[in-house]
Amino acid sequence: MELTTRQQEIKDEFVRVRGAWSDTWEGVLRLDPEFLRAYLNFSAVPWRSGVLDPKVKEFIYIAIDANATHMYLPGVRQHIKAALALGATPQEIMEVLELSATLGIHAMNIGVPILVEVLAEKGLRNGPAPLDDRQEQLKADFTKARGYWHTFWDEMLELDPDMFEAYTEFSSVPWRTGTLEPKVKEFVYIAFDTAATHLYVKGLKLHIENAIGYGATPREILEVMEIASVLGIHGVTAAAPILLEEMEAAQRAT
């Protein structure tokens, strides 16, 4: 189906502002071009007036799309392609993915305190036990590798030091061998913690504090959140092609 003049104008503006076009936008353009135009204005704010390097912006999109709470693969492909075009290396992109993989530990960050609370309520726990020498060393190792300590690790370290040791090794790989700036690593954590598919408030606050400690500006952190805030459009880009297919099927049936 040939685009109308207005649809072509919006498509051209989209490519000019965002630097790319993908098939995921085609159905939205055909069904409601003015909605796509409004989305362009919304999503383009950090591109028109932002302070992050374009490559870092693409890292943020990748972190939002390629994590366990979202897994929007069309977006992953689009933004990996864009990051490579902007000069990102495969190693940098892999580092973003490795950082994003730490999201799973929030099952422990949220679950262990609740377990401890229930144990205390049932008289099965009297309070935190003192750390032994191994646990103290694990705490020191984590602090050295990750550059911080937070009290939400305390109970996990106390109750299962083996799990904590394994997580320290797992989460520290991009910090030991990666090349991204520390504040950019923290931007990745901020991105998936603030995203609507996760909203992990304790982690978000921690990583904002860490990013500021590494020299990030409020404007940079706000821009990470602005990029994360457009995630809701994926409901439209995933469903619009289905709507078009069903419209065509209904037309064929009549």
Side-chain angles (χ1 to χ4, degrees):
M1 182 185 300
E2 187 174 346
L3 296 180
T4 66
T5 300
R6 179 59 175 160
Q7 287 170 329
Q8 189 62 55
E9 289 175 352
I10 292 171
K11 182 175 181 178
D12 291 344
E13 184 181 7
F14 194 106
V15 173
R16 180 182 60 79
V17 173
R18 293 293 303 274
W21 181 263
S22 74
D23 292 342
T24 59
W25 301 113
E26 200 71 30
V28 184
L29 177 66
R30 294 181 183 280
L31 287 163
D32 195 339
E34 296 308 323
F35 177 77
L36 183 61
R37 177 72 174 79
Y39 167 74
L40 174 60
N41 284 337
F42 175 41
S43 66
V45 171
W47 291 92
R48 289 186 174 123
S49 59
V51 295
L52 295 177
D53 183 272
K55 184 174 72 170
V56 173
K57 287 184 174 70
E58 296 299 338
F59 291 158
I60 302 307
Y61 286 115
I62 293 168
I64 294 163
D65 288 349
N67 68 68
T69 61
H70 195 45
M71 293 301 293
Y72 184 64
L73 299 185
V76 174
R77 183 178 298 278
Q78 174 188 343
H79 293 296
I80 286 178
K81 182 178 180 179
L84 291 170
L86 289 166
T89 67
Q91 292 74 23
E92 287 176 322
I93 295 171
M94 186 62 188
E95 190 174 333
V96 172
L97 300 177
E98 291 170 358
L99 292 162
S100 300
T102 62
L103 181 148
I105 199 62
H106 297 161
M108 299 291 288
N109 294 138
I110 293 173
V112 171
I114 296 173
L115 170 61
V116 167
E117 181 181 347
V118 171
L119 292 176
E121 290 171 352
K122 294 185 175 298
L124 300 174
R125 177 180 169 84
N126 296 321
L131 300 181
D132 60 24
D133 290 345
R134 180 196 176 205
Q135 290 167 321
E136 290 286 5
Q137 185 59 54
L138 290 175
K139 182 175 181 177
D141 291 344
F142 181 94
T143 305
K144 180 179 179 181
R146 295 292 305 278
Y148 77 96
W149 183 261
H150 192 283
T151 55
F152 58 49
W153 299 117
D154 288 345
E155 291 159 339
M156 179 179 164
L157 173 61
E158 175 197 345
L159 295 178
D160 197 339
D162 290 343
M163 175 64 176
F164 189 82
E165 181 176 25
Y167 175 70
T168 299
E169 171 67 19
F170 172 71
S171 66
S172 298
V173 171
W175 289 89
R176 292 196 312 268
T177 64
T179 59
L180 297 178
E181 285 183 79
K183 74 173 183 179
V184 173
K185 289 181 171 72
E186 294 294 339
F187 291 161
V188 170
Y189 297 133
I190 291 169
F192 64 68
D193 277 350
T194 200
T197 51
H198 194 46
L199 296 175
Y200 181 55
V201 175
K202 286 186 177 180
L204 176 58
K205 184 174 188 294
L206 166 69
H207 293 298
I208 289 174
E209 292 170 349
N210 288 351
I212 290 172
Y214 285 124
T217 67
R219 179 64 243 180
E220 288 176 320
I221 295 169
L222 188 64
E223 194 166 312
V224 172
M225 296 177 182
E226 290 172 351
I227 292 172
S229 70
V230 304
L231 175 152
I233 196 65
H234 297 156
V236 180
T237 56
I242 297 172
L243 173 56
L244 287 171
E245 290 171 4
E246 293 303 317
M247 288 167 56
E248 292 172 1
Q251 290 173 352
R252 291 195 299 269
T254 57

